[in-house]
Amino acid sequence: MKSYKGTKINDKVYERVFDCKDRDFFVWHRDKEDRRITVTSEAHGWKFQMDNCLPVDLVLGVVISIPKNTFHRIIAGTGIIKIRLEKEQHENIIFRS
């Protein structure tokens, strides 16, 4: 089961809704690409935590960049939180001499 309900806007942009009732599914994980999340709704008590960092509050308008392969998680507050997720895919560049 996914820890969110989501809508795909395009290949790189998604809207996701997390509900505090699903808190058991909010686990430490990492992703294969850089990501940027923006909180798009009022949120109460929700937090974001990256590996080896203290949690930060997720409030309306907060933007967080998450480097690929970095462990992170969401910590549930009350009610729901809505975020906009942007995947930042970088093309592999090969330099030849």
Side-chain angles (χ1 to χ4, degrees):
M1 178 176 168
K2 290 185 179 179
S3 61
Y4 60 86
K5 293 183 175 121
T7 303
K8 182 177 181 178
I9 305 302
N10 60 46
D11 287 340
K12 296 182 181 181
V13 179
Y14 300 79
E15 290 180 349
R16 294 197 173 156
V17 178
F18 295 86
D19 191 317
C20 68
K21 293 183 273 185
D22 297 325
R23 72 179 67 238
D24 292 341
F25 298 101
F26 302 159
V27 297
W28 287 99
H29 69 283
R30 57 187 171 176
D31 301 300
K32 294 179 182 179
E33 65 278 307
D34 294 337
R35 293 177 172 211
R36 183 173 58 215
I37 63 168
T38 305
V39 179
T40 59
S41 69
E42 292 291 336
H44 303 283
W46 287 82
K47 297 185 181 292
F48 175 86
Q49 185 175 19
M50 276 201 245
D51 196 22
N52 295 317
C53 296
L54 293 173
V56 296
D57 292 330
L58 291 176
V59 295
L60 182 63
V62 164
V63 177
I64 297 175
S65 293
I66 309 165
K68 69 179 179 179
N69 296 320
T70 301
F71 279 100
H72 61 280
R73 67 177 176 159
I74 288 180
I75 301 169
T78 58
I80 65 168
I81 188 171
K82 296 179 183 179
I83 66 164
R84 179 181 180 93
L85 176 123
E86 298 173 60
K87 294 183 178 183
E88 299 176 357
Q89 298 172 335
H90 303 286
E91 294 182 27
N92 291 333
I93 300 174
I94 300 173
F95 294 97
R96 297 175 195 247
S97 51

